[in-house]
Amino acid sequence: MTAFAFLTATEIMFGRGQAAQAAPRIRALGTAVFLLHGQPGRADWLAHALAEQGCNVTRFVVSGEPDVAMITAATDAAKTAQVVVALGGGAVIDAGKAVAAMVPAIRPLMDHLEVIGKSLPLDHPPLPFVALPTTAGTGAEVTRNAVIGSPEHGRKVSLRDKRMLPTLAIIDPALTDNTPKNITLASGLDAITQAIEPYISTRSNRLTDALCRDAIPQGLQALRRLMVNEDAAARDDMAWVSLCGGLALANAGLGVVHGLAGPLGGLIAAPHGAICGTLLPHGLALNAARATNPARIDQVIKWIAEAFETTPENALTALTVWSRRHGLPTLSQMGFTQAHLHQAAAAAASSSSMQANPAQLSAQDLLSLMAAA
């Protein structure tokens, strides 16, 4: 049996109604609270609940995917914080993890960033950090990195440290209810991708396998239901799939889809989940053709075939057609040009996600994959 260590948040709370316990649990970690959120109105309930607990709350709006300038500004605003809280999607949670890490830090952010920086470990432990996801997508509430853009470099890279794992992750599926269809689709495909890539990864292990084997077919079925009607049970399932994907990727790595999605997302402001969803069927097809042992990839394709009631031979086409019918754009529709694709293929070589991909892929392979998407 292969030995492995499993890393995750210190404590995970999952289930409808769990968000009601957020304020007292946060209060136990500190009274000076720095609250990051997306849409201002959606955070009012938590800010009020924290105030009733006697907390002094400073709020910070994360208006888009985090970049170096945003994290620097938020870190400056959080200097007196005792605890950092993020209520929102993956971008908000990544921003929160980065701020919690950088408030105690002596060195500047660039010293700790991968690829474009010095990749230095944190010089001090992060502040306590609490994550409450409002989308079922990234699983960022249980991972040890924050993805940060650098427009200057045209890249998205990670700030990464084992100590960045959240102190508390509260996953309440009710916070995802009535998410707009386009966000549900993109974030849901990201969640499914983040269960698929660890399952076929060269670093997979028994625990990540146990998470992914149930999550992949469950996520496919739940996302199909959500494209037809609002469905509380399907929201619950997708929140669970997103959590499983986050746990799995943090402990088994990712693959070519995320290896390309990071560089592509650094080139233009396209939604990460939409990029992943568009690349997914083509990444699976390429890996199936190039992998020495494609048995796990074949199993994933069978799960897709079952979800879409078709044959394995038609499964990836069925996924692509279904995604397009529900509004998922192609890479060109997102604004990517041939020049962007060449830049992404070159940058993917240094992506940490590519290190666990089940097949060795050339730059031409990557270009062909993106052209198909």
Side-chain angles (χ1 to χ4, degrees), residues 99-309:
V99 171
M102 292 311 300
V103 167
I106 296 173
R107 297 185 180 93
L109 175 61
M110 286 297 298
D111 279 2
H112 302 288
L113 292 180
E114 297 177 347
V115 182
I116 62 172
K118 298 179 181 178
S119 299
L120 295 176
L122 296 176
D123 46 39
H124 286 78
L127 292 179
F129 174 61
V130 179
L132 294 93
T134 61
T135 61
T138 67
E141 66 274 10
V142 289
T143 61
R144 51 181 155 167
N145 70 302
V147 179
I148 299 169
S150 173
E152 177 186 354
H153 298 87
R155 293 295 301 268
K156 280 185 178 179
V157 297
S158 280
L159 173 66
R160 190 187 310 270
D161 193 288
K162 292 179 181 179
R163 293 169 293 176
M164 287 173 61
L165 285 160
T167 309
L168 174 63
I170 302 176
I171 301 99
D172 186 336
L175 296 177
T176 73
D177 287 348
N178 299 304
T179 300
K181 182 178 177 180
N182 65 318
I183 298 174
T184 297
L185 178 62
S187 60
L189 287 170
D190 188 21
I192 292 166
T193 303
Q194 290 178 168
I196 289 173
E197 291 201 303
Y199 181 71
I200 64 175
S201 156
T202 59
R203 298 175 186 163
S204 63
N205 58 65
R206 291 189 175 196
L207 191 48
T208 58
D209 284 354
L211 292 165
C212 297
R213 274 194 299 263
D214 286 339
I216 295 166
Q218 189 175 35
L220 290 163
Q221 295 287 357
L223 192 56
R224 287 202 71 187
R225 300 204 307 272
L226 285 168
M227 289 300 101
V228 178
N229 293 302
E230 181 62 26
D231 183 325
R235 292 287 182 193
D236 291 355
D237 287 348
M238 285 308 305
W240 175 251
V241 170
S242 180
L243 173 61
C244 289
L247 292 168
L249 77 88
N251 290 280
L254 289 163
V256 66
V257 173
H258 280 84
L260 288 170
L264 285 169
L267 293 170
I268 66 173
H272 171 77
I275 296 173
C276 289
T278 296
L279 292 173
L280 175 60
H282 308 288
L284 284 170
L286 180 60
N287 274 330
R290 296 285 189 271
T292 303
N293 182 1
R296 285 179 175 242
I297 305 167
D298 292 342
Q299 178 59 66
V300 169
I301 293 172
K302 287 179 183 178
W303 284 325
I304 295 171
E306 291 168 3
F308 288 93
E309 301 174 343

